[in-house]
Amino acid sequence: MHELPTIRVVAAVIERNGDYLITQRRPTAVLPLMWEFPGGRVEPGESDADALRREVRHRLGVDVEPGQLISFVSHPYERYVVDLYLYECHVTSGDPSSVNVNAFRWVSSAGFDQYPFTPADELSMSKLLGVG
């Protein structure tokens, strides 16, 4: 049995007045219409911080300043493993809009269970909230 390829992914935890910014994947994406923290794949030679800035700007049209690493989870899918690094981020300019996501919401942590999250994000949330 051969080892699955690993994809390094970063995601932004953006908090505002006790609510967190989450995004819904497009219908044509892998794991369609599932919810996640905004972010994406880290390209070769790119830092996590640069990937976060690029991905959040691409998806939501806002600029962020990445802060400290909050959590890390590794989740095996059928064809690959996702190493997901979750960072605290702050919006430095712009207002979020659904540029390259199906939708976005500001949700309290108590409301997370109303949204079907991707498996890797589900693990991250459990770690983030100290449950599970």
Side-chain angles (χ1 to χ4, degrees), residues 44 53 61 77 84 94 100-102 116:
R53 289 184 194 101
Y77 288 90
L84 176 62
N100 282 297
V101 295
N102 196 57

Side-chain angles (χ1 to χ4, degrees), residues 7-21:
I7 300 171
R8 185 179 182 101
V9 173
V10 290
V13 175
I14 302 168
E15 185 264 342
R16 182 186 76 184
N17 302 324
D19 290 337
Y20 296 90
L21 185 60

Side-chain angles (χ1 to χ4, degrees), residues 38-84:
R41 184 185 299 231
V42 179
E43 299 297 339
E46 187 177 42
S47 71
D48 285 3
D50 286 344
L52 277 164
R53 289 184 194 101
R54 177 181 52 76
E55 287 286 352
V56 175
R57 186 180 310 116
H58 173 73
R59 294 173 192 282
L60 293 165
V62 297
D63 293 315
V64 296
E65 186 52 44
Q68 68 181 18
L69 178 67
I70 295 174
S71 78
F72 162 77
V73 297
S74 187
H75 184 78
Y77 288 90
E78 191 177 329
R79 294 195 178 94
Y80 49 83
V81 174
V82 167
D83 282 355
L84 176 62

